[in-house]
Amino acid sequence: MQLVDYPWLIKPKNHIGKNLPPALLIHGIEGIGKQVLANYLAQSTLCEKTSFISDPCGQCPSCDLFTAGTHPDFNLVTNDEEDAFSSEGTSSASKKAKQVISVKSVRSLGTFCVTKPHRGHAKVIVINPAENLNQSASNALLKNVEEPAEFLHFILIAKHKETLIPTLISRCLKLHVRPPEAPEASSWVMAKMKTQLEDPYRKQLAINLSGNAPLASLKLMENHDFFDAREKIILLLSQNPIDIFALAALCEKLEASTLQQVFYALLHDLMFSDIKENTVFHEDKKTEIRQIKRSLTTKAFSRWQGIFNDYLKSANHPLNRRLALEALFLKWPQT
Ligand SMILES: [Zn+2]
């Protein structure tokens, strides 16, 4: 792979220097390309033709193994899997990801950390998302990071570095990947789009909603379910009176992360759109925003945001999601 395909990653890459340090922490917002950069650094370090961090050759046996996902000196540690149907589930289809990296996963790295590289001179372990390391997993990892073999490199990936334990952070070279400016994100996304865009607002909206993170923008732009949900929620909220039960029934079918994205953007524009009704996330929905806003105050929406945040804390495991959503929308600001 070539980093020129991801131009905003070049600067952070240069910040690392010639060689990968024993421990690197890459942090930055969702969809900014942290895993892309980690893969690049790992492949480059393992490549048999390059001796410094630079574009891997893509042709040597090491690069072939890396691209095939079978390099014996590379290890990606990610969220644990759990059986969806308790211990009876045996097929891989019955396993789903748990939002945690357990001490068991970290301990399973034991032999990998101490045995010499199969090929060449280096081994690379990537941990993503490092914020999902629980306390005991963090402590187990710390032991490995504190006294690594000279061939071993750790790359930790996190959205917010503050979520990691301080002793672990202090062992890492920290690399903050920042998003490009909106025009750069926009042209990158346009070049990568597979389908023609029917809705002229969608691209800008996706970029704004993703905080200019190019990979997240691209993913969102092609996420028709998100735009469909947004459309329906805005339509229901712009009615007077609002059909709370229809709204709850609709939202029950959506992922909590989709709800969060739709409502955070909506609340932002309801609270902060200016006197000329310039919005950040709803340039295509100005009439509806006006209808939803009515004569309600910023304070009323801000209060509901607090209630919504409380709902989100338990959104993935409420006893009765429909009831929780109905209760939530019954508290929607009224004139
Ligand atoms: Zn190579």
Side-chain angles (χ1 to χ4, degrees):
M1 71 176 285
Q2 295 182 317
L3 215 52
V4 72
D5 291 337
Y6 304 88
W8 69 95
L9 296 178
I10 292 173
K11 205 171 153 193
K13 187 270 286 182
N14 291 339
H15 184 73
I16 298 170
K18 284 186 170 176
N19 296 299
L20 201 54
L24 176 70
L25 167 60
I26 303 177
H27 60 107
I29 59 172
E30 179 81 32
I32 192 78
K34 300 183 289 297
Q35 181 70 59
V36 171
L37 182 59
N39 284 349
Y40 173 90
L41 295 169
Q43 189 180 347
S44 169
T45 301
L46 298 171
C47 174
E48 288 159 31
K49 296 271 170 65
T50 60
S51 35
F52 303 114
I53 294 175
S54 58
D55 287 355
C57 77
Q59 288 163 349
C60 70
S62 242
C63 281
D64 284 345
L65 287 165
F66 191 89
T67 314
T70 51
H71 201 297
D73 296 325
F74 178 73
N75 205 326
L76 171 66
V77 181
T78 185
N79 286 326
D80 291 8
E81 282 183 345
E82 69 178 347
D83 292 341
F85 306 104
S86 72
S87 54
E88 287 163 30
T90 47
S91 73
S92 59
S94 70
K95 295 195 168 186
K96 61 178 181 181
K98 265 199 289 193
Q99 296 298 306
V100 68
I101 299 174
S102 66
V103 69
K104 199 173 143 203
S105 301
V106 174
R107 287 208 182 115
S108 70
L109 293 170
T111 318
F112 184 90
C113 289
V114 292
T115 50
K116 289 216 164 96
H118 288 76
R119 312 187 57 88
H121 52 90
K123 282 184 152 188
V124 183
I125 295 173
V126 173
I127 300 182
N128 184 21
E131 51 254 87
N132 287 1
L133 287 160
N134 63 23
Q135 184 71 37
S136 42
S138 295
N139 289 332
L141 180 66
L142 188 61
K143 286 201 188 98
N144 290 318
V145 174
E146 272 173 342
E147 293 165 13
E150 89 275 22
F151 54 77
L152 193 59
H153 303 274
F154 285 92
I155 303 177
L156 277 62
I157 295 178
K159 272 186 254 180
H160 309 286
K161 68 173 175 1
E162 296 75 18
T163 48
L164 274 60
I165 60 169
T167 38
L168 197 52
I169 301 174
S170 69
R171 294 279 166 183
C172 299
L173 173 72
K174 288 156 284 288
L175 192 65
H176 188 192
V177 181
R178 291 183 173 81
E181 296 295 323
E184 195 189 325
S186 175
S187 47
W188 186 86
V189 167
M190 284 312 274
K192 298 278 173 188
M193 279 283 292
K194 288 190 205 87
T195 47
Q196 263 328 88
L197 203 62
E198 327 83 63
D199 182 352
Y201 289 111
R202 192 181 274 204
K203 180 184 67 164
Q204 197 50 49
L205 185 64
I207 289 168
N208 289 355
L209 281 166
S210 310
N212 293 1
L215 279 79
S217 304
L218 185 63
K219 192 175 162 197
L220 188 59
M221 220 148 78
E222 296 179 328
N223 183 348
H224 300 292
D225 290 345
F226 168 80
F227 287 97
D228 187 45
R230 171 183 182 267
E231 192 80 26
K232 287 177 179 159
I233 289 171
I234 290 173
L235 180 66
L236 279 166
L237 283 173
S238 61
Q239 309 293 311
N240 195 5
I242 299 168
D243 186 344
I244 302 293
F245 302 103
L247 189 58
L250 167 70
C251 292
E252 191 189 8
K253 297 187 199 110
L254 305 173
E255 300 264 338
S257 56
T258 306
L259 274 188
Q260 180 173 348
Q261 214 161 14
V262 171
F263 276 96
Y264 275 12
L266 192 59
L267 288 164
H268 176 280
D269 282 348
L270 287 168
M271 293 193 277
F272 302 115
S273 59
D274 63 16
I275 201 88
K276 289 182 190 154
E277 296 179 334
N278 287 320
T279 65
V280 179
F281 304 114
H282 298 86
E283 280 303 279
D284 57 334
K285 299 278 174 204
K286 285 190 177 188
T287 312
E288 290 85 346
I289 287 290
R290 204 179 309 125
Q291 287 164 343
I292 298 172
K293 205 167 175 178
R294 301 191 181 107
S295 56
L296 293 159
T297 60
T298 299
K299 208 173 162 186
F301 289 114
S302 158
R303 202 179 301 126
W304 191 82
Q305 185 164 34
I307 301 168
F308 183 56
N309 285 337
D310 286 341
Y311 164 79
L312 287 175
K313 282 177 202 156
S314 61
N316 288 320
H317 46 83
L319 291 174
N320 186 327
R321 193 156 183 236
R322 175 80 72 95
L323 276 182
L325 284 163
E326 284 173 3
L328 174 69
F329 293 125
L330 278 167
K331 290 176 191 143
W332 183 261
Q334 303 285 332
T335 39

